[in-house]
Amino acid sequence: MAINELEEWPAESAGLLAAAALFHGFSDPSRLAILRHLALGEHRVTDLTAHVGLAQSTVSKHLSCLKECGLVTSRPQGRASIFSLTRPEALMEVWAAAEKLLDLTGDAVALCPNYGAETLKDER
């Protein structure tokens, strides 16, 4: 069942659970920064570490999450792994839609007491 079908269904439906898992992949600012850099092309973990300013173990943990969500893929190159976006064109469409929604909601998302910008800063 697709998440955009307009019929009544329980919150536990497969479509909503899959959507929640996908959005969980997007739920961390560091993962978004990693995805943004991968949108520029393939990167090694050490390259991403330098770009996002996080420890290599942290970047690897985020890449593992993104890979499990099907958002990134990797291939070996010597002793390193090269990471890239699985579906870059679809990710660009999601980002464009997110930017449009953020423009329409204004400060509401940033000021949300549960998931707003201040809450995210506190979690880092």
Side-chain angles (χ1 to χ4, degrees), residues 89-104:
E89 64 288 340
L91 185 59
M92 295 304 145
E93 290 175 16
V94 169
W95 276 337
E99 288 176 4
K100 181 178 180 179
L101 187 57
L102 286 169
D103 285 344
L104 294 170

Side-chain angles (χ1 to χ4, degrees), residues 49-105:
T49 299
H51 287 302
V52 297
L54 297 171
Q56 186 170 342
S57 61
T58 304
V59 171
S60 292
K61 179 181 167 188
H62 286 306
L63 285 168
S64 177
C65 173
L66 293 168
K67 193 171 184 179
E68 289 170 0
C69 289
L71 298 172
V72 302
T73 189
S74 66
R75 63 178 175 80
Q77 185 177 43
R79 292 176 24 163
S81 291
I82 306 295
F83 287 85
S84 60
L85 297 176
T86 306
R87 304 271 187 244
E89 64 288 340
L91 185 59
M92 295 304 145
E93 290 175 16
V94 169
W95 276 337
E99 288 176 4
K100 181 178 180 179
L101 187 57
L102 286 169
D103 285 344
L104 294 170
T105 61

Side-chain angles (χ1 to χ4, degrees), residues 5 34 66 119:
E5 290 179 10
I34 290 168
L66 293 168
T119 305

Side-chain angles (χ1 to χ4, degrees), residues 34-61:
I34 290 168
L35 289 170
R36 185 176 64 188
H37 283 291
L38 289 175
L40 301 172
E42 296 181 321
H43 284 75
R44 297 176 301 155
V45 174
T46 55
D47 300 329
L48 292 167
T49 299
H51 287 302
V52 297
L54 297 171
Q56 186 170 342
S57 61
T58 304
V59 171
S60 292
K61 179 181 167 188

